[in-house]
Amino acid sequence: MSVPEVDYAALAKVIESLTENETDEVALMATLACEIHHSDDRFDWTGFYRVTEPGMLKIGPYQGGHGCLQIPFGKGVCGTCAETGEVQLVDDVEAFPGHIACAATTRSEIVLPVHGASGRLIGVLDIDSDQPAAFTEADAEGLGRVLNAVFGNGGHWR
Ligand code: SME
């Protein structure tokens, strides 16, 4: 079982400094995807899917191989996260009904909802790993902290 290698508090501080005074959503997501992706070898695909219309996610900034372009709410791990508003922590993607495989090498996945300062769902953060059961509750908590630093009430994005 992998354990968090990344110091999420330190990562949040780095991203806060890199994005200071930035309010553009795509610029913020691009910076988050880059810094999160390179913070831990478990992360083989790191990116955002954005809510572009009611019930639809479309790909946003990401790091890694090609990601599918759109995911309806309720489909796949990302669409389930968007529909339920709940973090999806998937130890074995092949056991997740309707998992959407963008890469054959993916074994586990974590997806978090992303809310703007107003509380509105603006997208999801998706991280895939080629390692089985790569993610833990500590990752969910730490990634939530990083997202909140940028998009939360105290964050830069409005
Ligand atoms: N696995 C995701 C699809 C996005 S690719 O992993 C980048 C899902 O099932 O929603």
Side-chain angles (χ1 to χ4, degrees):
M1 166 82 77
S2 302
V3 293
E5 298 170 11
V6 55
D7 177 342
Y8 285 109
L11 179 61
K13 285 195 181 307
V14 166
I15 292 171
E16 277 184 308
S17 66
L18 289 172
T19 59
E20 191 172 11
N21 301 321
E22 183 54 67
T23 58
D24 178 76
E25 181 181 311
V26 173
L28 293 170
M29 287 182 173
T31 306
L32 280 159
C34 175
E35 295 302 315
I36 292 170
H37 187 71
H38 293 292
S39 71
D40 194 310
D41 292 343
R42 291 174 294 154
F43 305 165
D44 293 298
W45 193 97
T46 308
F48 289 87
Y49 281 88
R50 300 163 298 119
V51 180
T52 56
E53 61 187 88
M56 180 59 74
L57 293 167
K58 292 204 176 179
I59 200 159
Y62 67 93
Q63 301 267 325
H66 171 74
C68 60
L69 299 186
Q70 51 188 340
I71 302 176
F73 280 36
K75 300 292 185 190
V77 186
C78 294
T80 300
C81 177
E83 184 168 78
T84 64
E86 300 294 326
V87 174
Q88 302 297 310
L89 219 173
V90 182
D91 285 343
D92 175 6
V93 295
E94 293 182 3
F96 189 94
H99 169 255
I100 301 168
C102 292
T105 54
T106 300
R107 291 291 170 270
S108 58
E109 186 166 2
I110 186 169
V111 184
L112 293 86
V114 182
H115 297 93
S118 66
R120 178 175 60 88
L121 182 76
I122 61 172
V124 298
L125 169 63
D126 178 21
I127 306 177
D128 295 341
S129 180
D130 294 348
Q131 301 173 39
F135 305 102
T136 68
E137 290 296 338
D139 290 303
E141 185 180 333
L143 290 165
R145 177 176 182 164
V146 171
L147 290 170
N148 196 49
V150 173
F151 292 114
N153 291 335
H156 309 309
W157 189 74
R158 288 288 174 266

